[in-house]
């Protein structure tokens, strides 16, 4: 496991997606971009295999190819940039997630735990992480337009994932707020919503997890995950915070990270 708290400079990114999942370019292009920009640390984190059909997740059959490619890039760029093999592991419930033995048999340098899927009222796992148009359609088709159910289930799943453990970094832990706020304006300011976020933050602090500040949505939506309002509480609790771009194309490996780092420095 990497000691993220010991990384003394800001030239890193530990969250990126390539051709092995829903990324838009080969790993080689991301590696070349990271080396050219002088990154000291760079982690590849494809969406993990899941036991169902998902166009965004890597297949189990490609895991060995992925690990071999990381090993090749580590050798090629030795002495310039340290590359790491990781996965952004989807938590689907007790049956599948970062704590599953499958992921601990893999030679990963670190693991990101994230919630993208939640069960609908009939138990069907639905991806609620996409664009708002897709989210709005799924609210009608799968969730009976019950936004409170969706938000509560997202935080229930997240707290269960933290309790089960098996990962080092929690990814974009309040990302449901983005689509939820489009669906119901002002929802993130409601007391019940704030209580759910704070319940999750309590669990994160107690577990001693590293928290990523995810900058992917800053340019288009002027928001980061978690929301900036939560950073001071995490920082005051001694939580290790790292700034990741969640890049899907090589040119965005450093996107909006400087803005996040400056905000952190001002706290």
């Amino acid at each position: 496991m990497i000691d993220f708290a010991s990384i003394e400079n800001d030239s890193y990114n530990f969250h990126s997606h390539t051709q092995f999942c829903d990324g838009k370019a080969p790993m080689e292009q991301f590696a070349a971009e990271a080396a050219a920009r002088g990154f000291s640390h760079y982690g590849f984190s494809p969406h993990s295999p899941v036991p169902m059909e998902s166009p965004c997740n890597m297949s189990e059959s490609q895991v060995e190819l992925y690990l071999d490619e990381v090993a090749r890039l580590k050798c090629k760029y030795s002495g310039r940039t340290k590359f790491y093999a990781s996965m952004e592991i989807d938590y689907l419930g007790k049956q599948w997630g970062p704590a599953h033995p499958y992921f601990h048999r893999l030679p990963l340098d670190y693991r990101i735990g994230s919630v993208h899927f939640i069960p609908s009222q009939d138990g069907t796992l639905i991806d609620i992480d996409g664009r708002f148009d897709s989210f709005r359609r799924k609210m009608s088709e799968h969730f009976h337009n019950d936004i409170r159910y969706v938000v509560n289930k997202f935080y229930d799943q997240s707290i269960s994932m933290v309790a089960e453990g098996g990962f080092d970094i929690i990814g974009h832990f309040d990302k449901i707020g983005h689509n939820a706020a489009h669906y119901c304006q002002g929802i993130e300011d409601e007391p019940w919503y704030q209580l759910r976020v704070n319940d999750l933050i309590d669990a994160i602090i107690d577990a001693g997890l590293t928290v990523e500040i995810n900058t992917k949505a800053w340019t288009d939506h002027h928001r980061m995950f978690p929301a900036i309002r939560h950073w001071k509480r995490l920082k005051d609790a001694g939580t290790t915070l790292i700034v990741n771009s969640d890049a899907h194309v090589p040119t965005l490996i450093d996107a909006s990270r400087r803005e996040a780092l400056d905000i952190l420095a001002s706290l």
Side-chain angles (χ1 to χ4, degrees):
M1 174 186 165
I2 303 168
D3 181 4
F4 296 103
S6 70
I7 296 174
E8 296 180 352
N9 61 62
D10 57 14
S11 21
Y12 65 81
N13 183 34
F14 290 103
H15 190 161
S16 67
H17 300 282
T18 68
Q19 83 275 22
F20 285 100
C21 56
D22 60 348
K24 308 303 181 186
M27 285 172 62
E28 177 75 62
Q29 292 183 22
F30 285 84
E33 185 78 17
R37 292 186 186 224
F39 274 54
S40 57
H41 304 272
Y42 195 88
F44 298 105
S45 55
H47 293 289
S48 70
V50 289
M52 59 187 188
E53 289 296 320
S54 171
C56 294
N57 291 73
M58 76 185 304
S59 66
E60 188 174 344
S61 64
Q62 289 204 304
V63 170
E64 187 174 351
L65 291 173
Y66 160 66
L67 294 171
D68 287 346
E69 180 66 353
V70 178
R72 183 184 74 81
L73 294 171
K74 285 182 177 183
C75 290
K76 180 174 180 177
Y77 291 94
S78 177
R80 296 175 63 188
T81 302
K82 292 182 179 180
F83 288 102
Y84 301 91
S86 177
M87 286 185 185
E88 185 178 14
I89 303 171
D90 274 296
Y91 182 79
L92 305 180
K94 292 187 179 297
Q95 75 276 17
W96 193 261
H100 194 284
Y102 169 74
F103 296 108
H104 291 269
R105 292 194 294 266
L106 298 176
L108 300 175
D109 296 308
Y110 63 95
R111 297 164 179 82
I112 300 174
S114 295
V115 173
H116 300 97
F117 298 83
I118 65 167
S120 65
Q121 288 93 332
D122 68 5
T124 304
L125 285 166
I126 305 297
D127 183 355
I128 45 82
D129 188 64
R131 296 179 181 276
F132 177 64
D133 286 347
S134 172
F135 179 83
R136 181 170 51 192
R137 174 178 54 80
K138 290 173 181 176
M139 283 296 300
S140 174
E141 293 180 358
H142 300 287
F143 297 109
H144 310 295
N145 292 313
D146 188 345
I147 189 62
R148 191 157 178 159
Y149 169 87
V150 170
V151 168
N152 276 320
K153 189 57 68 174
F154 177 89
Y155 285 110
D156 287 344
Q157 292 285 85
S158 299
I159 290 169
S160 294
M161 179 179 72
V162 171
E164 292 180 33
F167 62 102
D168 310 295
I169 302 169
I170 186 163
H172 47 60
F173 74 68
D174 67 345
K175 197 173 181 187
I176 187 61
H178 176 60
N179 278 330
H182 280 295
Y183 190 83
C184 180
Q185 188 174 1
I187 192 171
E188 292 174 285
D189 296 319
E190 295 182 14
W192 70 271
Y193 184 99
Q194 293 181 36
L195 180 63
R196 296 315 316 268
V197 178
N198 282 306
D199 285 344
L200 177 55
I201 292 174
D202 287 342
I204 289 167
I205 292 170
D206 289 345
L209 289 170
T210 293
V211 170
E212 81 159 4
I213 293 172
N214 188 304
T215 64
K216 180 181 178 181
W218 183 255
T219 298
D220 291 339
H221 303 288
H222 205 68
R223 66 181 300 156
M224 299 189 192
F225 309 110
I228 295 168
R229 70 174 83 178
H230 304 303
W231 296 7
K232 188 175 188 302
R233 183 182 172 206
L234 290 161
K235 194 171 183 180
D236 288 349
T239 302
T240 298
L241 304 173
I242 59 173
V243 180
N244 290 331
S245 70
D246 195 354
H248 286 61
V249 296
T251 55
L252 296 179
I253 63 173
D254 207 20
S256 302
R257 292 185 63 258
R258 182 75 267 154
E259 290 91 330
L261 289 162
D262 288 345
I263 295 168
L264 269 179
S266 73
L267 294 180

